[in-house]
């Protein structure tokens, strides 16, 4: 049953034919890749808004074009469009504005920010009432209807669908910090069902704003090691103290191998399988025995019909929080067994921070590039390894290696665990 | 290929709305044929809102610590999900829950309105927009509230409270979220990618921050109550309703093996997104969707549960589409369930599927809404029900449900 076009279960093989990337290291793969393998950091002091009084004052931001004001909606859309455009160009698929398949997109929360709320509030008379009564009175004047796209959850997906002309209803999803991986998983399932032959998967997040920072601070999730900023994100290190919030977008074009071959497109990698297991233990912590993370990895391997011996490299979730990195180590140790010290592991978050909703898609692109280029980007700031974590971390400098397959992990608040198995070639 | 066709059964229903709690309360409310239940016309004036019936949330959410870490949107959803699991006979069945997948259609959780009011007053008084970040928010915001705001935390709380853990996906996008959720569940089961899925959504409509979002799009109905079909002369608008609607969808073979009986079978589903830049586009999409889900039905009386919201032009275009079914030989008997329960946005399509399954199981549609001039009586036994979902802003979808002979005792 197994062939180039069908996997071992007779399902269509799914390949990636285009990739796009925007991170705090740059726009596009060509700006990102040299900086990734050079071990550079995209983390810096926040200049977008004053940070005095805040415990965390660093982030991995992407600059808005000169002279344009920041809004989460506009900026998340802007980087999503850039990544998708790059992926579609590389895939050479469809015609401009007509992508021949559906869109799966992970987007950050849609909400009004303080500058917008302040404008609304100032517009209505105090006599209209307090708080939201006054905001609603301002909204009824119809002077602010253009703000609707900031609060409609469908709006980024909607704008992307119009821009790229994807088929049917766009699927907008949120599985917290696993969202980017979920877009690829959902597209894979759809292609396996034979409902489409190509799909566009995008994860985007540009939510470095004051309230975003305050929220994660209140959960004690962020690193407060503000100086120097580039040394704050230190996954698997003894002194790690939290993640660094960051912006980014990742996009991939996936197709059935048959569809790609028929149109002469070059596969950049294979989506072998995906696995998912929800945790029911706690809103922000994993089950102490790691069973949900182990379950997600095990299901991904089973779906791909490979064993842990077939995994050459792990692109870790590796957030640099004390909790995540410990649990990820325990789970990987369980799954990899005797190979736990021998499989190179890296966390891109050491360099680009945690791109939250986008992370799974951004890191899938980097994992695919790792296989294409034969170089594993380093986990920087790994100078003082956590003595309880015995992984083969790709410490501080990039490592040349022939990588045929990657396990890409994504875990999120709310017990979301999604793992992808990606390969260089079908097997 | 993952595409054998398995029949998809509705084997569990959990409902919570202004009409009360559970399946019997909902059918009872609809059968009385009276007008809407529980409308608050004062608290959110000028907007009427369908308010949730009084519910003791601790009956489905036993731990106080769990209750405390959720806001009302999540309470409603977790409660309705628990009812659906109980109804399907899988609540507390560890081995079944571990293989039950979860799909939630979600918006986001509520903001703390009093904190926001305080921040806005301070910003206006001192003319400093950045003030909120450094002075007020770090002390006023509660970490638990942030967790209540995350869209995927309704799903997260369902996993924690009810132990549903096979997978967990949260879809976004107002009504499209509900359409996508049901479509994804049906297609995965039909293709053998999943055997049993808990799917649904929840809305807490009694929130001014939520109303603000809808008002910015000019979507709210600001007047006295009117059924959805009768609002167009005044420009249309939706009356939001608090509700939780969850379903257990299951492969027929899986249900039979564990001895579970269905309310109905989901025969077909299709969704799309009309551009809505020109008049008539919504209607054309609805006609295309109808041909996809009802490809070979001979003309006959057809019961339709419409998810019309009352906003325009969506509602008039749906009405034109429904009127046109007459000329194709169908005799539509339409019930817009939003006229009774309010528009429940993300939960609306799952709610329509649930009501259709209940009506099919007993073989009879419920009577038209009181005061409605569009809805006709239907006295024949109902064998199939078409459920429509037309987003107030975006998204269109349709599902066809069928009666199953081995249905549940009703």
């Amino acid at each position: 049953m197994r062939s180039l076009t069908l996997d071992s279960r007779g399902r269509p093989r799914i390949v990636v034919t285009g990739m796009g990337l925007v991170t705090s290291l740059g726009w596009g793969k060509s700006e990102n890749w040299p900086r990734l393998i050079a071990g550079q950091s995209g983390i810096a002091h926040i200049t977008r808004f004053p940070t005095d009084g805040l415990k965390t004052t660093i982030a991995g931001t992407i600059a808005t074009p000169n002279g344009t004001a920041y809004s989460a909606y506009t900026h998340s859309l802007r980087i999503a469009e850039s990544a998708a455009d790059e992926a579609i160009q590389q895939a050479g698929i469809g015609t401009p504005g007509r992508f021949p398949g559906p869109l799966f997109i992970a987007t950050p929360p849609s909400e009004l920010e303080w500058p917008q709320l302040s404008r609304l509030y100032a517009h209505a008379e105090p006599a209209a009432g307090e708080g939201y009564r006054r905001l609603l009175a301002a909204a009824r004047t119809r002077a602010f209807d253009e703000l609707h796209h900031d609060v409609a959850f469908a709006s980024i997906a909607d704008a992307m669908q119009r821009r790229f002309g994807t088929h049917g209803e766009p699927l907008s999803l949120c599985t917290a910090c696993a969202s980017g991986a979920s877009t690829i998983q959902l597209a894979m399932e759809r292609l396996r069902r034979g409902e489409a032959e190509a799909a566009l998967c995008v994860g985007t997040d540009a939510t470095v704003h004051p309230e975003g920072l305050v929220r994660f601070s209140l959960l004690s999730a962020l690193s407060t090691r503000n100086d120097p900023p580039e040394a704050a994100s230190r996954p698997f290190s003894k002194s790690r103290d939290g993640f660094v919030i960051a912006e980014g977008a990742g996009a991939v074009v996936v197709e059935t191998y048959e569809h790609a071959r028929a149109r002469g497109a070059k596969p950049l990698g294979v989506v072998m399988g995906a696995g998912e297991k929800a945790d029911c233990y706690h809103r922000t912590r994993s089950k102490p025995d790691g069973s949900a993370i182990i379950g997600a990895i095990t299901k991904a391997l089973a779906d791909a019909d490979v064993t842990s011996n077939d995994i050459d490299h792990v692109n870790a979730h590796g957030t640099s929080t004390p909790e995540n990195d410990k649990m990820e180590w325990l789970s990987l140790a369980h799954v990899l067994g005797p190979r736990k010290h021998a499989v190179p592991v890296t966390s891109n978050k050491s360099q680009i921070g945690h791109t939250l909703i986008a992370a799974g898609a951004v890191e899938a692109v980097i994992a695919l590039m790792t296989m294409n280029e034969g170089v594993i980007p380093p986990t920087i700031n790994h100078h003082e390894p956590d003595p309880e974590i015995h992984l083969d971390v790709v410490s501080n400098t990039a490592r040349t290696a022939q990588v045929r397959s990657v396990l890409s992990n994504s875990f999120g608040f709310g017990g979301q665990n999604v793992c992808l198995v990606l390969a260089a070639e079908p097997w | 290929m993952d595409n054998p066709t398995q029949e998809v059964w509705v084997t569990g229903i959990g409902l919570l709305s202004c009409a009360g709690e559970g399946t019997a309360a909902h059918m009872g409310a609809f059968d009385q044929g009276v007008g809407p239940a529980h409308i608050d016309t004062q608290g959110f004036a000028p907007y009427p809102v369908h308010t949730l019936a009084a519910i003791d949330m601790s009956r489905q959410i036993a731990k106080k610590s769990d209750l405390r870490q959720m806001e009302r949107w999540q309470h409603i959803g977790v409660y309705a999900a628990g009812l659906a699991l109980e109804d399907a006979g899988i609540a507390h069945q560890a081995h079944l829950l571990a293989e039950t997948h979860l799909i939630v259609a979600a918006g986001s959780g509520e903001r703390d309105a009093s904190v926001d009011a305080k921040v806005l007053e301070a910003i206006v008084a001192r003319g400093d927009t950045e003030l909120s970040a450094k002075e007020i928010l770090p002390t006023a915001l509660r970490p638990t509230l942030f967790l209540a705001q995350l869209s995927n935390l309704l799903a997260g709380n369902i996993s924690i409270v009810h132990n549903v853990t096979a997978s967990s996906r949260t879809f976004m996008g107002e009504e499209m979220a509900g359409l996508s959720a049901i479509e994804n569940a049906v297609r995965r089961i039909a293709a053998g990618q999943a055997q049993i899925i808990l799917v649904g959504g929840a809305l807490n409509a009694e929130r001014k921050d939520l109303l603000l979002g809808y008002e910015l799009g000019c979507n709210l109905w600001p007047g006295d109550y009117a059924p959805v079909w009768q609002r167009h002369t005044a420009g249309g608008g939706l009356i939001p309703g608090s509700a939780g609607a969850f379903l257990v969808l299951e492969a027929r073979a899986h249900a039979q093996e564990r001895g579970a009986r269905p309310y109905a079978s989901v025969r077909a589903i299709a969704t799309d997104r009309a551009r809505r830049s020109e008049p008539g586009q919504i209607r054309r999409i609805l006609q295309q969707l109808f041909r996809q889900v009802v490809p070979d039905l001979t003309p006959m009386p057809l019961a339709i549960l419409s998810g019309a919201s009352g906003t325009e032009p969506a509602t008039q275009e749906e009405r034109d589409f429904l009127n046109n079914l007459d000329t194709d030989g169908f005799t539509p008997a339409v019930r817009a369930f939003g006229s009774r329960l309010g528009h429940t946005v993300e939960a609306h399509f799952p709610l329509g599927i649930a009501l259709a399954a209940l009506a099919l199981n007993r073989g009879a549609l419920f009577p038209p809404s009181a005061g409605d001039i569009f809805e006709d009586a239907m006295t024949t036994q109902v064998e199939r029900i078409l459920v429509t979902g037309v987003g107030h802003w975006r998204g269109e979808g349709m599902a066809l449900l069928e009666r199953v002979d081995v249905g549940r005792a009703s």
Side-chain angles (χ1 to χ4, degrees):
Chain A
M1 202 183 282
R2 190 188 299 236
S3 69
L4 272 179
T5 56
L6 299 178
D7 70 12
S8 58
R9 302 221 180 96
R11 304 172 301 194
R13 281 200 192 275
I14 314 299
V15 296
V16 174
T17 54
M19 307 185 283
L21 190 61
V22 182
T23 75
S24 49
L25 286 174
W27 295 72
K29 298 190 292 292
S30 61
E31 282 191 21
N32 272 280
W33 187 251
R35 291 177 186 165
L36 282 166
I37 57 171
Q40 293 179 15
S41 167
I43 311 305
H45 290 294
I46 295 169
T47 54
R48 182 174 290 161
F49 52 87
T51 55
D52 44 306
L54 294 178
K55 282 194 223 158
T56 293
T57 60
I58 56 172
T61 55
I62 296 162
T64 54
N66 283 340
T68 57
Y70 165 84
S71 100
Y73 163 79
T74 313
H75 207 36
S76 298
L77 176 58
R78 181 183 291 131
I79 61 176
E81 285 179 328
S82 173
D85 201 39
E86 185 186 10
I88 291 170
Q89 297 266 352
Q90 185 177 23
I93 192 168
T95 53
R98 293 179 77 84
F99 183 89
L103 169 67
F104 296 84
I105 183 162
T107 60
S110 311
E111 55 192 353
L112 293 173
E113 293 149 51
W114 291 107
Q116 302 156 338
L117 285 168
S118 307
R119 270 172 54 213
L120 272 164
Y121 197 72
H123 186 80
E125 297 297 326
E130 291 194 323
Y132 278 90
R133 278 199 179 284
R134 188 160 155 187
L135 295 170
L136 279 159
R140 282 194 295 275
T141 66
R142 305 264 69 87
F144 296 92
D145 282 356
E146 91 279 4
L147 292 179
H148 180 242
H149 67 210
D150 291 277
V151 284
F153 292 103
S155 57
I156 291 180
D158 191 67
M160 290 287 286
Q161 200 225 23
R162 265 181 288 143
R163 161 90 187 259
F164 296 105
T166 54
H167 288 182
E169 190 182 66
L171 203 147
S172 211
L173 66 98
C174 172
T175 52
C177 301
S179 301
S182 296
T183 65
I184 297 170
Q185 179 191 27
L186 280 151
M188 177 196 79
E189 289 175 354
R190 182 125 168 212
L191 266 52
R192 282 179 178 172
R193 292 197 298 267
E195 294 167 14
E197 296 202 287
L200 176 61
C201 309
V202 184
T204 186
D205 199 320
T207 51
V208 177
H209 51 65
E211 196 166 337
L213 210 61
V214 169
R215 288 168 176 170
F216 282 114
S217 262
L218 287 170
L219 291 174
S220 306
L222 297 180
S223 171
T224 56
R225 190 177 276 112
N226 295 310
D227 286 299
E230 59 273 16
S233 184
R234 46 181 75 183
F236 308 115
S237 291
K238 190 179 170 193
S239 54
R240 67 186 185 275
D241 73 332
F243 72 79
V244 176
I245 188 172
E247 298 178 334
V252 293
V253 171
V254 293
E255 294 178 65
T256 62
Y257 190 94
E258 197 162 5
H259 187 258
R261 190 170 66 171
R263 65 183 194 86
K266 177 177 180 277
L268 306 167
V270 184
V271 182
M272 295 285 289
E276 191 181 358
K277 182 75 183 166
D279 207 320
C280 58
Y281 178 68
H282 188 271
R283 287 157 190 84
T284 59
R285 297 209 314 271
S286 306
K287 254 187 193 168
D289 65 1
S291 56
I293 295 177
I294 292 167
I297 299 173
T298 308
K299 284 165 88 174
L301 297 172
D303 186 52
D305 198 15
V306 299
T307 72
S308 66
N309 289 331
D310 298 315
I311 297 299
D312 286 353
H313 166 50
V314 177
N315 184 305
H317 187 57
T319 56
S320 182
T321 62
E323 163 82 7
N324 175 82
D325 298 0
K326 181 184 77 183
M327 291 313 303
E328 194 164 8
W329 148 245
L330 291 174
S331 306
L332 285 172
H334 179 91
V335 177
L336 296 172
R339 292 179 71 237
K340 59 181 179 274
H341 310 303
V343 178
V345 175
T346 203
S347 167
N348 307 135
K349 292 183 180 79
S350 64
Q351 298 183 267
I352 59 171
H354 190 352
T355 57
L356 304 172
I357 295 285
V362 165
E363 291 164 21
V365 170
I366 297 174
L368 288 158
M369 293 185 77
T370 298
M371 290 188 285
N372 290 168
E373 304 288 335
V375 183
I376 306 174
T379 299
I380 62 168
N381 303 316
H382 194 248
H383 302 294
E384 197 185 1
D386 184 331
E388 292 179 6
I389 295 178
H390 307 286
L391 291 167
D392 175 18
V393 176
V394 180
S395 295
N396 304 314
T397 50
R399 190 185 298 178
T400 303
Q402 194 196 357
V403 180
R404 293 169 309 133
S405 61
V406 182
L407 172 71
S408 178
N409 288 341
S410 296
F411 313 129
F413 284 168
Q416 311 272 181
N417 303 295
V418 181
C419 299
L420 302 175
V421 176
L422 305 168
E425 304 277 345
W427 82 69
Chain B
M1 189 179 279
D2 284 348
N3 63 359
T5 303
Q6 295 202 62
E7 190 176 338
V8 181
W9 278 2
V10 179
T11 57
I13 294 175
L15 293 177
L16 192 59
S17 75
C18 59
E21 162 189 346
T23 54
H26 280 80
M27 290 316 275
F30 276 92
D31 280 344
Q32 286 165 18
V34 293
H38 284 88
I39 286 203
D40 179 355
T41 55
Q42 301 299 315
F44 306 92
Y47 315 109
V49 172
H50 293 260
T51 55
L52 197 74
I55 303 285
D56 174 8
M57 292 292 172
S58 69
R59 276 186 289 146
Q60 285 292 338
I61 309 167
K63 281 193 199 162
K64 284 205 171 63
S65 59
D66 283 334
L67 277 169
R68 243 194 338 268
Q69 294 195 56
M70 294 181 234
E71 297 288 323
R72 196 155 178 266
W73 158 65
Q74 293 164 333
H75 289 161
I76 296 170
V78 174
Y79 196 99
L83 293 178
L85 294 172
E86 259 177 22
D87 189 48
I90 60 173
H92 313 298
Q93 307 280 318
H95 64 291
L96 280 167
L97 293 169
E99 64 168 72
T100 301
H101 299 270
L102 175 60
I103 308 176
V104 174
S108 71
E110 37 264 78
R111 296 182 62 89
D112 187 328
S114 61
V115 168
D116 287 354
K118 202 164 114 188
V119 172
L120 287 166
E121 260 316 305
I123 289 173
V124 168
R126 290 170 45 179
D128 178 4
T129 332
E130 306 299 342
L131 180 77
S132 58
K134 50 190 192 224
E135 285 183 25
I136 302 177
L137 292 176
T139 50
L141 290 183
R142 289 171 290 134
T144 52
L145 182 69
F146 173 39
L147 291 175
Q149 286 172 333
L150 288 175
S151 297
N152 70 302
L153 259 286
L154 170 49
N157 280 299
I158 290 171
S159 292
I160 289 168
V161 174
H162 301 307
N163 289 322
V164 176
T165 60
S167 70
S168 167
R169 291 150 189 200
T170 296
F171 294 159
M172 315 285 299
E174 292 76 39
E175 294 86 351
M176 278 203 288
L179 293 164
S180 300
I182 299 290
E183 182 178 37
N184 190 260
V186 169
R187 293 203 189 284
R188 277 160 69 196
I189 293 171
Q193 290 176 331
Q195 297 298 316
I196 180 165
I197 301 182
L198 173 67
V199 54
L203 185 78
N204 173 16
E206 298 149 62
R207 295 165 46 189
K208 292 194 182 109
D209 58 331
L210 183 95
L211 298 183
L212 176 62
Y214 299 146
E215 180 57 71
L216 284 170
C218 195
N219 295 307
L220 291 177
W221 175 252
D224 293 336
Y225 172 81
V228 294
W229 305 117
Q230 283 151 242
R231 296 176 199 161
H232 63 282
T233 48
L238 63 87
I239 301 179
S242 292
F246 273 83
L247 302 152
V248 174
L249 299 182
E250 193 168 356
R252 175 186 175 144
H254 189 272
Q256 284 176 325
E257 192 171 330
R258 68 180 187 91
R261 290 171 67 181
Y263 286 100
S265 165
V266 185
R267 300 302 301 188
I269 182 163
T271 65
D272 210 334
R273 171 200 170 281
R275 288 246 156 179
R276 300 197 182 188
S277 53
E278 288 165 27
Q281 287 176 326
I282 297 170
R283 180 182 165 180
R284 266 201 302 284
I285 288 286
L286 292 176
Q287 285 165 338
Q288 286 169 17
L289 293 172
F290 184 75
R291 282 194 291 275
Q292 287 174 47
V293 300
V294 193
D296 52 2
L297 280 187
T298 45
M300 58 165 187
L302 184 61
I304 295 169
L305 285 188
S306 164
S309 64
T311 56
E312 297 302 345
T315 302
Q316 279 306 298
E317 291 208 20
E318 181 176 348
R319 187 171 162 162
D320 289 345
F321 154 74
L322 294 170
N323 275 330
N324 202 48
L325 290 177
D326 269 336
T327 58
D328 292 338
F330 292 97
T331 318
V334 180
R335 304 288 181 269
F337 50 94
S339 289
R340 305 280 186 84
L341 305 181
H343 189 61
T344 65
V345 195
E346 287 88 2
H348 213 54
F349 196 59
L351 179 59
I353 302 285
L355 295 170
L358 287 170
L360 283 166
N361 186 53
R362 65 172 194 181
L365 194 61
F366 34 83
S369 295
D372 195 288
I373 53 169
F374 180 53
E375 301 185 350
D376 296 324
M378 184 181 196
T379 49
T380 52
Q381 165 147 322
V382 57
E383 294 290 335
R384 294 176 190 83
I385 296 181
L386 183 75
V387 182
T388 70
V390 179
H392 72 273
W393 178 58
R394 285 286 184 265
E396 297 79 26
M398 248 175 236
L400 186 71
L401 276 75
E402 257 179 19
R403 187 174 159 78
V404 179
D405 286 340
V406 290
R408 295 167 60 124
S410 60

